[in-house]
Amino acid sequence: MANTPNFLAKNKSVILYGVFLAALLFLLKWLELRFIIIDHAFEIYAGSIAVIFTALGIWLALKLTRPKTILIEKEVFTGKPETFILNEKELTKLNISKRELEVLQLMSAGLSNQEIALKLFVSLNTIKTHNARLFEKLEVKRRTQAIETAKRLSIIP
Amino acid sequence: MANTPNFLAKNKSVILYGVFLAALLFLLKWLELRFIIIDHAFEIYAGSIAVIFTALGIWLALKLTRPKTILIEKEVFTGKPETFILNEKELTKLNISKRELEVLQLMSAGLSNQEIALKLFVSLNTIKTHNARLFEKLEVKRRTQAIETAKRLSIIP
DNA sequence: TGAAAAATCACCCTAAAGTATGAGGGTTAG
DNA sequence: CTAACCCTCATACTTTAGGGTGATTTTTCA
């Protein structure tokens, strides 16, 4: 298969987990030593493993699900008086990608490029690139115009 | 307290986790037995604990965080009921002047400071001063935030 | 009428936004 | 397989926005 790099990228967290596991070996070995030296420290050892790996599992799960939660946000919000209906036709017509829409939403929320970058776990330059594409597609020159236009076209609430 | 049932309901997952833990004891005891009988089954025992508790951690984390993920988005207490009604109370409370409101409107229309200056026949510096006052009064740092806040407070359409 | 608020403008400086260009890897449909 | 996106990031540069300070002229109103 030629998709080995793909696999690597997709399982970044899993690989990190592996590395962390390796790092844990020392701790475990040390605990094993204690087990030999101190009698009946067996429970301590088992308990340690349980606690450590439970925490590890929680951490892993959080890492894996965090990106997914961001995607959920934009689907599930409804205004009380008038429900916002995303104009998907316009979105398709303007060829605006999911990521670009995400940036647009944060932009309209008043966030700076730097803040958006931090929130989306990408670099400032990446946000600037998204902005440039966005402005091009919306045929505007500034973020304030982009917000105005996007709201008018019901691309954002 | 009378909200014990509420507590039970809210922590269903935690209780389940506890029950599951109890159930695990038998498995662990059994493994411990094996550990005594079979020599060098120690690694198997430790590995089992690691795997089980990692899975447990993942499951726990997913159970606990899944309900929390969605509600982050909009609060929305003032929608747009067709016709815009200027919130004069807020305007008075925030002590925003006529000219400042004018600047704010043009700002939200996507105009740059220079364009606003030309439109209002004043200098760029004047607009900047108005902006600074506006940001101070609205307690924001950027024009995009100012627009967002002003719209939310129905100061501008 | 006199103080307060509003509106105007300038200068200097920093921060943020935006433009242009190139580039590498990922995903996907044909 | 490959062309077409998409997402990512970088570097370099220009423009706009924003902060701080101080000042003058109107307007407003008690």
Side-chain angles (χ1 to χ4, degrees):
Chain A
M1 295 284 188
N3 59 352
T4 304
N6 176 26
F7 176 82
L8 289 174
K10 263 193 168 180
N11 295 275
K12 206 162 46 178
S13 296
V14 176
I15 292 163
L16 268 173
Y17 171 69
V19 173
F20 189 43
L21 244 185
L24 263 183
L25 282 181
F26 292 100
L27 179 59
L28 295 179
K29 272 297 168 193
W30 176 79
L31 283 170
E32 192 170 352
L33 269 176
R34 307 286 287 184
F35 171 69
I36 292 166
I37 294 165
I38 304 171
D39 212 359
H40 300 303
F42 176 79
E43 284 79 8
I44 295 172
Y45 181 71
S48 300
I49 294 176
V51 170
I52 290 168
F53 278 86
T54 300
L56 208 60
I58 291 171
W59 172 80
L60 225 198
L62 289 177
K63 275 287 172 196
L64 289 174
T65 57
R66 193 169 296 165
K68 286 173 186 172
T69 60
I70 294 170
L71 288 180
I72 295 169
E73 281 183 29
K74 67 187 175 201
E75 298 178 56
V76 190
F77 70 141
T78 55
K80 274 177 207 166
E82 305 287 333
T83 305
F84 170 69
I85 300 154
L86 194 145
N87 190 341
E88 298 193 53
K89 286 176 192 170
E90 204 67 40
L91 214 55
T92 308
K93 194 170 74 184
L94 294 177
N95 203 26
I96 292 176
S97 73
K98 206 185 296 182
R99 198 56 155 174
E100 285 162 356
L101 179 61
E102 221 169 343
V103 172
L104 186 55
Q105 287 167 341
L106 295 174
M107 195 182 279
S108 92
L111 275 68
S112 70
N113 287 337
Q114 184 61 68
E115 287 168 345
I116 296 172
L118 287 172
K119 191 154 229 166
L120 299 183
F121 301 105
V122 297
S123 82
L124 174 60
N125 286 310
T126 301
I127 300 302
K128 287 187 178 184
T129 305
H130 285 315
N131 288 354
R133 296 248 162 89
L134 226 29
F135 297 162
E136 198 182 334
K137 290 173 181 176
L138 290 170
E139 296 176 25
V140 297
K141 293 211 165 297
R142 281 176 290 282
R143 54 171 49 213
T144 46
Q145 278 185 348
I147 293 166
E148 201 278 329
T149 301
K151 278 181 184 280
R152 192 163 40 75
L153 297 177
S154 286
I155 289 172
I156 53 175
Chain B
M1 296 284 186
N3 59 352
T4 305
N6 180 27
F7 175 80
L8 289 174
K10 268 192 169 179
N11 296 276
K12 203 165 50 180
S13 296
V14 177
I15 292 163
L16 268 172
Y17 174 67
V19 172
F20 188 41
L21 246 185
L24 263 183
L25 282 180
F26 292 99
L27 179 58
L28 294 178
K29 272 298 168 194
W30 177 77
L31 283 170
E32 194 171 354
L33 269 175
R34 306 288 285 181
F35 171 69
I36 293 166
I37 294 165
I38 304 171
D39 211 0
H40 299 303
F42 177 76
E43 284 78 10
I44 295 170
Y45 180 71
S48 298
I49 294 177
V51 169
I52 289 167
F53 277 87
T54 301
L56 207 59
I58 292 172
W59 173 79
L60 226 199
L62 288 177
K63 275 288 172 196
L64 290 176
T65 60
R66 195 168 295 163
K68 287 181 183 177
T69 52
I70 298 170
L71 282 177
I72 307 165
E73 198 62 17
K74 281 282 182 181
E75 60 288 340
V76 185
F77 51 89
T78 56
K80 4 180 173 165
E82 311 287 330
T83 50
F84 170 70
I85 299 155
L86 195 145
N87 189 342
E88 298 193 55
K89 286 176 190 169
E90 205 66 41
L91 213 55
T92 308
K93 194 169 76 184
L94 294 177
N95 202 27
I96 292 175
S97 73
K98 237 174 292 175
R99 199 58 156 172
E100 284 162 356
L101 180 60
E102 216 170 346
V103 172
L104 186 55
Q105 287 166 341
L106 295 173
M107 195 183 279
S108 92
L111 276 66
S112 70
N113 288 337
Q114 183 60 70
E115 288 167 345
I116 296 171
L118 288 172
K119 192 155 230 165
L120 299 182
F121 300 106
V122 295
S123 83
L124 174 60
N125 284 311
T126 302
I127 301 303
K128 286 187 178 183
T129 305
H130 285 317
N131 287 355
R133 296 253 162 87
L134 271 172
F135 297 161
E136 198 182 334
K137 290 173 181 176
L138 290 171
E139 296 177 22
V140 297
K141 293 210 164 297
R142 283 176 289 282
R143 54 172 50 213
T144 47
Q145 275 185 349
I147 293 167
E148 201 278 330
T149 301
K151 278 181 183 281
R152 191 163 43 76
L153 299 177
S154 285
I155 290 173
I156 54 174

